[in-house]
Amino acid sequence: MTSKQKLELTWIGKEKRPRLEPRILLEDPEKSYHAKHRVTENDIFDNRLIFGDNLLALKALEAEFAGKVKCVFIDPPYNTGSAFTHYDDGLEHSIWLGLMRDRLEIIRRLLSEDGSLWITIDDNEAHYLKVLCDEIFGRANFVASVIWRKNYSPKSSARHFSVDHDYVLIYAKNGEGWFPNPMPRSEKQDAAYKNPDQDPRGKWKPGDLSARNFYGAGTYPITCPSGRVIAGPPNGMYWRVSRERLAELDADKRIWWGKDGNNVPAIKRFLSEVKQGLVPQTFWSYDEVGHTQDAKREVVALFGDDVFGTPKPERLLERVMNIATKPNDLVLDSFAGSGTTGAVAHKMGRRWIMVELGEHCHTHIIPRMKKVIDGEDKGGISKAVNWQGGGGFRYYRLAPSLIVNDRWGNPVINPEYNAAQLAEALAKLEGFAYAPSETRWWQHGHSSERDFIYVTTQNLSAEQLQALSDEVGQEQSLLVCCSAFHGVTATRASERWPNLTLKKIPKMVLARCEWGHDDYSLNVANLPMAAPEAPLSPALSREGRGRKSREAALTADLFGDGGEAAE
């Protein structure tokens, strides 16, 4: 065997990977929005809402935000099958897995070393997605599969089982270095603590002094303050502490003998001494984090009857962020939907980036975030976190493709790009940080303290290149991207000016990417149609029609309300 084998999920077309164009982002100040004044000193204004294909947007973010995102929460299309009656099932699942794979690989690169990914999904793809994530993140970085009970009543129309839950798959960028924040204690949990003996250390609750595990010094008689003698621990049990340790605890008034001093002793566990947070659990009930009807009521309160199909309740996102983030951490949602992630992150003092391709980016997300910023959103978690408004966001759209074809079919630089946008786009393509200098006209960006890039649409002469080389100096290097240069070949140029590297545009980037591809979305409309079936014999055709009608009935029972969209 020549190569090491590994477990992996395979599907049709897995080897095909898009050659993504790293687009630049263009801000539209008219759609950006900020509070009229600072509400608190903790207001965050530089959040980002990006309109465009989410795979291209993730690629656009990679250069600036790789290793900086603390938490990614995504609620991707569940791929229920109800929308795919005209598509080949195997191909459809393969396309879904391929498109998810492409996004997850970039998401992993965006995550910080102590970051985590949270994905809501249902049974249709959950187990395939788990194996896919194992392959991308590594099985050792799987954290948990949370069960969220999203429905509070059964569906009587269910064919077999009424599905009451979704999953939340959780992966860490580095499982060894990721630790969840403890869950806050609830009033119900604290209510068990009393102080019947007015102990100055505060409220406490009794703890059992006996235990099942064998303890060599844990079998002895105990005399209560009332004089009653307890011969020993219950059958098959042992006292947790030795006789000497019990005396020490009693002297410190940490043993409760009951009101009359006649009870089996109990250890007093003080509220002030217990761990103030709880380890997160993997079952989340709807009374803790909300259900789908809660989510729809939240959206109806914001938008009236124009209800977004599959919102998530704000309390669900609040729990995710309580566990995975702290104030000022960066949260990313590349399937923004109605904007719940951004709304919750904003109210909780987290920085956020949301990406959405659908028109509801404008009809739902922007109006929602304006209400949040203006303090007009009183629903969701607003009351729980005492949200008063403040902060803001910047709205961006993906720039058009850098390379287009002219009227004769020749690839050229997109005429929609101005000089600054062209410089930024080429800097990103070449791995430079775009940072135009105010003093050096030839410095458009840098990759290190001594390595710079210069972009121009001019045709440069040997004299111009000589002047440029002199100004750059021998201690620095410059990548020169120009339409053409004359009077010298590229080889001779590198010999004559070793501090310059010359590249012609657009030739320098033509083979890099898939130019002009604007939509890599998971939209069913973008999937290839299934091949038409060959005609069948009458008998087989009748059998097929019967099978199809049974399948249609099953589909109607299972997904008659629109699958996930109807929850």
Side-chain angles (χ1 to χ4, degrees), residues 18 60 79 83 87 149 289 299 396 411 431 462 491 516 540 547:
N79 208 15
Y87 301 89
R149 187 178 179 188
V289 298
V299 175
Y396 294 87
T491 303
L540 288 175
R547 185 179 68 252

Side-chain angles (χ1 to χ4, degrees), residues 18 86 98 124 139 173 194 238 245 300 333 344 399 411 413 416 482 489 535:
H86 301 295
N124 286 285
R139 290 185 69 178
K173 173 74 171 286
K194 312 289 184 183
Y238 305 88
R245 180 57 180 157
V300 167
D333 185 348
V344 173
I413 294 294
E416 294 183 32
C482 58
T489 64

Side-chain angles (χ1 to χ4, degrees), residues 380-451:
I381 66 168
S382 294
K383 184 177 180 180
V385 300
N386 192 30
W387 177 247
Q388 302 297 318
F393 67 89
R394 299 182 185 278
Y395 172 95
Y396 294 87
R397 60 182 173 85
L398 286 168
S401 182
L402 177 64
I403 304 298
V404 296
N405 290 331
D406 63 14
R407 68 173 70 180
W408 298 282
N410 299 314
V412 296
I413 294 294
N414 193 328
E416 294 183 32
Y417 276 68
N418 60 33
Q421 292 168 354
L422 175 60
E424 182 179 357
L426 288 178
K428 178 171 279 192
L429 279 161
E430 292 293 323
F432 287 75
Y434 178 65
S437 171
E438 295 181 358
T439 58
R440 293 176 170 178
W441 56 270
W442 48 267
Q443 186 175 315
H444 287 152
H446 58 83
S447 62
S448 69
E449 293 181 355
R450 296 184 177 183
D451 192 19

Side-chain angles (χ1 to χ4, degrees), residues 65-79:
F65 290 97
K68 297 180 180 179
V69 178
K70 186 65 177 290
C71 172
V72 175
F73 175 89
I74 56 175
D75 181 24
Y78 279 12
N79 208 15

